[in-house]
Amino acid sequence: MSNDSSPARGYALVLTAAALWGTLGLFYKVLIDRFGLTPLTVASYRSLLAGLILLAVLALRKPRLLAVNRHDLPLLVAYGVFGVAGFFIAYAYAIDLVGVAVAAVLLYTAPAWVGLIAWRWLGEEMHRRLLMALGLTLVGSVLVAGLYDVSHLRLNGLGVLAGLAAGLGYGLWSVFNKIAVARYSAWTVQTYALLIGAGCFLLLAPAGQLLGPLALPSSWPWLLAMAVIPTLGGALTYSLGVRWVPVSVASVVATLEPVIAGALAYLLLGERLALLQILGGVAIISAVLLLRPPVSPGSDVFEPNSECTQNPNRP
């Protein structure tokens, strides 16, 4: 294939990644509603299976990438605890409580959370674009969550909090990722983060819940597909895509994820968003676009410090 077609290939891969991530809510809904698994159980298996698959791939293909300095273990533990376990469980409960479409949009409050964290703890400037993005995010979250309706808030307050917590978890994932991938390959970081997150679930979740899928063989293909398709498949296709298109552009294309998730929820689950909720989603995505920095195209997806490791959009 000629070099002229490389950007088109990159865009196609990033769009594929957005589509794969957009299916995550469907897996959660099927496993929770059809098979009766708890959100905690589903999040646990997502982290465990994806981590084990990555571990096996690296052990067979590039075992040298599994080596880490023990001084970096606190960073990887914090990443796994807050950026994976916290993020996964909050998103699972948000989907269960407020639905796929609303949860997916609230997830994209993450850039605003990152901006606040960077301003408060990393010494970054509170610039005009950040203030505008925070305002858009606040307005968008209120509209998407239906907080303008007090009765709606009483019924869905916990789900809204879970959605915002998922956005915060996604934001923490991004912050920890930025630090960790400066030292290691993104695949090294993700392997350890996923497995540490799984370890948190094993410690926190009741044994009866974790053993539940063992009595439901029909749920196994769904659990495995969730680990492979949206979790690892989305990350891989995105990382390959940014070899041919700038990460800044790819990140904007990837914001189609909540749109795709909402469309799938509408077509397959019968979920509906009111006009004000749609406008709220537009406000949040606009805030994301405001906060996207310009970055040059990436290189080898398996090497540290490549552009695909600097800003992979999702775990």
Side-chain angles (χ1 to χ4, degrees):
M1 187 175 291
S2 67
N3 290 334
D4 292 340
S5 65
S6 293
R9 184 192 307 175
Y11 282 112
L13 287 166
V14 174
L15 283 171
T16 300
L20 294 177
W21 285 325
T23 67
L24 181 59
L26 298 180
F27 285 102
Y28 273 123
K29 291 296 286 184
V30 168
L31 288 164
I32 293 170
D33 294 348
R34 181 184 301 179
F35 295 102
L37 301 180
T38 67
L40 183 58
T41 301
V42 178
S44 301
Y45 275 86
R46 179 189 176 195
S47 182
L48 178 62
L49 292 175
L52 290 175
I53 291 169
L54 267 184
L55 178 64
V57 170
L58 290 186
L60 291 173
R61 180 172 177 181
K62 293 200 174 183
R64 64 181 177 81
L65 293 183
L66 293 174
V68 297
N69 192 311
R70 61 187 179 88
H71 297 295
D72 292 322
L73 290 179
L75 170 63
L76 294 173
V77 169
Y79 192 175
V81 172
F82 299 105
V84 172
F87 169 32
F88 281 17
I89 190 59
Y91 195 42
Y93 273 105
I95 289 171
D96 185 41
L97 294 171
V98 296
V100 173
V102 172
V105 174
L106 290 176
L107 179 66
Y108 273 75
T109 60
W113 289 113
V114 172
L116 284 173
I117 293 169
W119 167 69
R120 180 63 180 82
W121 285 286
L122 301 180
E124 294 189 7
E125 181 184 356
M126 179 65 79
H127 51 77
R128 183 180 301 177
R129 282 197 308 160
L130 177 56
L131 287 172
M132 291 175 61
L134 290 173
L136 282 170
T137 300
L138 177 61
V139 172
S141 298
V142 169
L143 293 176
V144 168
L147 300 186
Y148 48 83
D149 185 341
V150 177
S151 63
H152 185 85
L153 175 60
R154 284 198 296 266
L155 290 173
N156 298 281
L158 185 59
V160 172
L161 288 176
L164 293 174
L168 175 59
Y170 184 8
L172 291 173
W173 183 93
S174 301
V175 172
F176 285 124
N177 182 78
K178 182 176 181 179
I179 299 170
V181 298
R183 308 174 192 180
Y184 302 103
S185 162
W187 302 106
T188 303
V189 172
Q190 289 305 307
T191 299
Y192 282 99
L194 286 165
L195 291 177
I196 290 169
C200 293
F201 289 127
L202 292 176
L203 291 174
L204 296 175
Q209 290 188 22
L210 292 177
L211 295 175
L214 299 181
L216 295 167
S218 56
S219 70
W220 299 350
W222 287 92
L223 290 167
L224 183 60
M226 177 180 61
V228 172
I229 296 173
T231 305
L232 297 180
L236 177 60
T237 52
Y238 183 87
S239 296
L240 289 173
V242 295
R243 298 181 69 179
W244 292 292
V245 297
V247 173
S248 56
V249 176
S251 298
V252 171
V253 175
T255 59
L256 288 172
E257 178 193 349
V259 177
I260 293 170
L264 291 174
Y266 174 83
L267 294 172
L268 302 178
L269 302 176
E271 293 185 10
R272 303 290 188 272
L273 290 179
L275 177 60
L276 286 177
Q277 289 179 302
I278 294 173
L279 292 176
V282 172
I284 290 175
I285 293 176
S286 298
V288 173
L289 304 186
L290 275 175
L291 293 175
R292 291 299 183 190
V295 185
S296 60
S299 56
D300 185 358
V301 299
F302 274 99
E303 295 302 323
N305 297 321
S306 67
E307 287 300 332
C308 66
T309 68
Q310 293 299 317
N311 188 19
N313 201 53
R314 286 282 296 278

